[in-house]
Amino acid sequence: VQLQASGGGLVQAGGSLRLSCAASGRPFSCGAMGWFRQAPGKEREFVSAISCSGSRTKYADSAKGRFTISRDNAKRTVYLQMNSLKPEDTADYYCAAKDGGPYYTTYDEYSEYDYWGQGTQVTVSS
């Protein structure tokens, strides 16, 4: 299973980016998908997650009101719409997928996820 993240780039503060993460390879059971990020010199941190159903979402406090997670199960893709970006959002963003699990559950612990993408860099200039 491979997760391919894309959509990162350089944007000015206040701008927007939309990250995508597409799964490919052997099929796996629908499970939660999430986004994490890691800034230089910092630990990887949770950003957002969405249940298999798509009806349950969870956000880090830093993302609430600015970021929106969504998914398209037919395309095996998860998205992260990021608005009102701030310089402190600068980081490498990683998508993750859980192989199966409860239909309506989200996870904010990286240890819960089975597959990881390679990361896409987001840089927000002030």
Side-chain angles (χ1 to χ4, degrees):
V1 174
Q2 291 84 41
L3 299 180
Q4 182 69 45
S6 61
L10 173 64
V11 64
Q12 288 189 329
S16 299
L17 284 174
R18 189 192 193 206
L19 306 185
S20 299
C21 175
S24 62
R26 68 168 181 82
F28 58 94
S29 299
C30 183
M33 298 187 78
W35 288 93
F36 292 74
R37 68 186 183 186
Q38 187 167 19
K42 294 189 176 181
E43 300 271 322
R44 188 171 298 193
E45 64 176 5
F46 169 75
V47 177
S48 184
I50 187 167
S51 63
C52 168
S53 67
S55 61
R56 302 283 174 87
T57 57
K58 188 172 186 178
Y59 296 92
D61 288 343
S62 59
K64 287 178 182 176
R66 300 188 299 126
F67 295 1
T68 302
I69 192 170
S70 60
R71 66 188 293 166
D72 183 333
N73 287 343
K75 296 182 179 179
R76 304 173 74 193
T77 299
V78 64
Y79 306 95
L80 186 68
Q81 177 67 43
M82 304 188 296
N83 299 329
S84 302
L85 283 161
K86 305 174 181 179
E88 50 264 44
D89 294 318
T90 295
D92 290 327
Y93 283 71
Y94 298 88
C95 60
K98 185 171 179 66
D99 193 341
Y103 193 60
Y104 295 105
T105 301
T106 60
Y107 301 92
D108 59 9
E109 291 289 337
Y110 67 81
S111 60
E112 290 284 354
Y113 293 90
D114 300 296
Y115 309 114
W116 289 85
Q118 84 291 358
T120 185
Q121 188 173 53
V122 172
T123 303
V124 185
S125 63
S126 57

